[in-house]
Amino acid sequence: MIFMPLVLAGILGDAFGKLFDVIWSVIKWIGRLLKKLFQGFIDLIVGFFEVIYALIDGLLYFLYKIGVLAVKLFLLFFELAKMIVSLFVGFAKTLASLVYVPRGGSGNGYSEMLGKIFAAMQPLKLEPIAYILLFILWMFTAVAAIKLLSSIRVGGD
């Protein structure tokens, strides 16, 4: 009779073990069923948020590129304005330097002679022609300098 409780305990242990195995199998089956049922829905939600993320990413990249373009245009116009200002300063300095005032006393006699030549040619009124010729000379010099500078490439080649 001593063995009877042990046998009974073994039978009950096996019964509950099989019962819990069946319950665990049912739980796993329900989990797989729920996975199959909701996997499409979850994929749809994930796809929706991926599209939203891609749209936000594209919009921010577009705004970034607009900013880069704005900076590049600002730098272009700034450099253009600097060139125009330097051109006007060059014109102003050139026109200011066109006036020649002969002075004497340099010690070599040429200034005195040039002064006499200018005094003798004063009645001919050749100053406007001289200004025009000096301006044309300045323009050709400026164009040649720009061509020379533009032919120099950065880094050789």
Side-chain angles (χ1 to χ4, degrees):
M1 298 270 175
I2 294 180
F3 294 109
M4 186 63 136
L6 289 176
V7 171
L8 189 61
I11 293 172
L12 284 176
D14 288 341
F16 278 116
K18 288 183 181 185
L19 178 65
F20 287 129
D21 283 341
V22 169
I23 291 173
W24 181 247
S25 295
V26 169
I27 289 173
K28 287 186 351 184
W29 179 79
I30 291 173
R32 285 192 300 268
L33 177 68
L34 289 176
K35 180 184 173 190
K36 285 181 182 179
L37 288 177
F38 290 110
Q39 188 64 43
F41 180 67
I42 290 172
D43 289 341
L44 183 68
I45 290 174
V46 168
F48 175 74
F49 284 116
E50 284 179 351
V51 168
I52 295 297
Y53 172 74
L55 286 174
I56 291 171
D57 186 38
L59 179 66
L60 291 177
Y61 185 72
F62 179 69
L63 292 175
Y64 167 74
K65 284 300 183 180
I66 287 176
V68 169
L69 179 66
V71 168
K72 294 290 185 187
L73 284 175
F74 174 76
L75 289 175
L76 176 74
F77 287 131
F78 181 70
E79 292 296 325
L80 184 65
K82 281 180 22 180
M83 279 182 31
I84 290 172
V85 166
S86 66
L87 180 70
F88 285 130
V89 167
F91 274 133
K93 286 184 179 182
T94 301
L95 291 176
S97 70
L98 290 178
V99 177
Y100 176 74
V101 179
R103 288 181 233 132
S106 65
N108 57 16
Y110 290 116
S111 295
E112 183 181 343
M113 183 56 73
L114 285 175
K116 289 180 181 179
I117 291 173
F118 273 103
M121 295 183 79
Q122 194 72 25
L124 297 176
K125 300 289 183 190
L126 296 175
E127 290 92 2
I129 296 172
Y131 283 128
I132 292 171
L133 290 175
L134 280 174
F135 179 76
I136 291 172
L137 178 67
W138 184 87
M139 280 301 288
F140 280 124
T141 305
V143 169
I146 290 171
K147 283 183 180 180
L148 179 67
L149 288 176
S150 67
S151 70
I152 298 173
R153 295 186 181 190
V154 177
D157 201 46

